[in-house]
């Protein structure tokens, strides 16, 4: 088995007396797409945000590319250049056009010259089908287009993994497909992705592995056909039974 690019070992997270992660063990291999599903409040987003220390864990290890990034002496800003993040809300700068939003980190974090940064940004925008919107501002875009800009902003740094936190939950239903299509294309290109999602059809069709979380724990994980087709745990079965629509 290949070495994980990301491994969580006994990950714990508490807010005061409220424990939201209760010893999470999870491995993500290079090139793998892992979808995390589960009810609201199960700790999915907290786990994801701990992976790049947007949230501080309270116990356990977060091993990225062989380094425990939970350690205080780690340069987390350097690490975050290698861990892309796509948020539920698009978090675009409204005063910058699309090209400016995508090229900003290249210039400010990596110190690249404007011309080089904008060339790289245009390549990323082409990958998400938005090269023609480079001069537009976020307010001029649909929600789906804004989220695709968010994906371009993540991939332009050529990260080793991208974390997706409910990337379609803020979108109107008719716009969800365009974002999922881009995510599928990234998978086909070999991008490693850890995706928290409520899109069960996408998880079943695109994921290499599905993880079901509840009350801060991983209850079940396995191949999509196993988790969706023959879930072993009653909590998984009860959760999936609430989705009356097709799961494939």
């Amino acid at each position: 088995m290949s070495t994980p690019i990301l491994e969580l070992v006994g990950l714990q997270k508490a807010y005061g007396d409220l424990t939201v992660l209760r010893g999470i063990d999870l491995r993500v291999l290079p090139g793998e797409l892992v979808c995390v599903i589960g009810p609201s409040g199960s700790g999915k987003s907290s786990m994801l945000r701990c992976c790049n220390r947007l949230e501080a864990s309270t116990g356990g290890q977060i091993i990225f590319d062989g380094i425990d990034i939970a350690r205080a002496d780690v340069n987390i800003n350097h690490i975050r250049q290698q861990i892309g993040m796509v948020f539920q809300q698009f978090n675009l700068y409204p005063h910058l056009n699309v090209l400016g939003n995508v090229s900003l980190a290249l210039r400010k974090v990596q110190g690249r010259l404007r011309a080089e940064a904008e060339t790289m940004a245009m390549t990323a925008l082409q990958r998400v089908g938005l090269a023609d919107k480079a001069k537009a501002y976020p307010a001029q875009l649909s929600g789906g287009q804004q989220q695709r800009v968010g994906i371009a902003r993540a991939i332009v740094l050529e990260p080793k993994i991208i974390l997706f936190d409910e990337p379609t939950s803020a979108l109107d239903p008719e716009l969800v497909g365009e974002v999922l299509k881009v995510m599928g294309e990234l998978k086909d290109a070999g991008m490693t992705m850890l995706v928290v999602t409520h899109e069960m059809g996408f998880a079943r069709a695109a994921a290499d592995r599905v993880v079901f979380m509840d009350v801060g724990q991983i209850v079940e994980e396995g191949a999509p056909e196993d988790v969706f087709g023959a879930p072993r745990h009653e909590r998984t079965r009860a959760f999936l039974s609430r989705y009356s629509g097709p799961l494939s």
Side-chain angles (χ1 to χ4, degrees):
M1 180 179 290
S2 60
T3 302
I5 189 68
L6 178 67
E7 184 172 12
L8 308 180
V9 182
L11 182 66
Q12 300 173 42
K13 173 64 181 176
Y15 301 97
D17 293 333
L18 176 64
T19 300
V20 294
L21 297 176
R22 306 171 183 272
I24 298 291
D25 295 316
L26 179 65
R27 296 157 59 95
V28 181
L29 302 178
E32 199 174 27
L33 193 166
V34 177
C35 282
V36 183
I37 63 173
S40 297
S42 59
K44 306 183 302 296
S45 290
S46 292
M47 179 193 73
L48 203 71
R49 292 171 68 85
C50 284
C51 289
N52 63 358
R53 277 182 36 190
L54 287 176
E55 297 272 6
S57 58
T58 49
Q61 295 177 292
I62 306 162
I63 302 169
F64 169 71
D65 204 17
I67 299 170
D68 183 2
I69 67 171
R71 296 199 329 253
D73 61 344
V74 167
N75 183 341
I76 193 60
N77 291 323
H78 175 71
I79 294 294
R80 284 179 181 149
Q81 293 182 52
Q82 304 172 67
I83 303 177
M85 184 86 180
V86 176
F87 299 90
Q88 178 177 333
Q89 302 298 331
F90 317 125
N91 291 354
L92 301 179
Y93 291 105
H95 64 288
L96 295 178
N97 64 20
V98 166
L99 189 64
N101 268 281
V102 177
S103 62
L104 184 64
L106 292 169
R107 296 172 51 216
K108 300 298 185 181
V109 178
Q110 293 190 349
R112 297 179 186 270
L113 297 176
R114 180 184 294 271
E116 180 186 19
E118 291 187 349
T119 296
M120 295 173 68
M122 284 301 297
T123 299
L125 288 169
Q126 288 169 356
R127 290 184 68 181
V128 301
L130 286 176
D132 61 327
K133 298 293 186 180
K135 299 300 184 183
Y137 285 82
Q140 299 172 303
L141 304 178
S142 70
Q145 289 171 330
Q146 289 186 61
Q147 191 59 292
R148 283 191 282 156
V149 174
I151 295 173
R153 181 178 56 188
I155 64 176
V156 77
L157 294 172
E158 299 180 346
K160 294 181 178 179
I161 187 172
I162 300 181
L163 313 175
F164 291 82
D165 188 8
E166 295 277 13
T168 60
S169 63
L171 300 179
D172 293 333
E174 66 269 20
L175 302 177
V176 168
E178 66 186 70
V179 173
L180 297 181
K181 178 176 181 290
V182 169
M183 293 170 66
E185 290 169 351
L186 289 178
K187 171 183 165 53
D188 292 342
M191 178 60 72
T192 307
M193 295 186 278
L194 179 59
V195 181
V196 170
T197 185
H198 64 277
E199 297 292 340
M200 298 298 138
F202 176 77
R204 184 164 193 166
D208 296 298
R209 196 151 39 91
V210 174
V211 174
F212 172 68
M213 286 183 64
D214 194 15
V215 293
Q217 297 175 307
I218 292 178
V219 175
E220 184 164 355
E221 69 175 294
E225 58 268 25
D226 296 330
V227 173
F228 287 103
R232 300 188 306 274
H233 294 272
E234 177 56 37
R235 278 188 284 176
T236 316
R237 290 193 289 271
F239 173 77
L240 293 175
S241 71
R242 298 203 294 268
Y243 286 86
S244 58
L247 294 175
S248 59

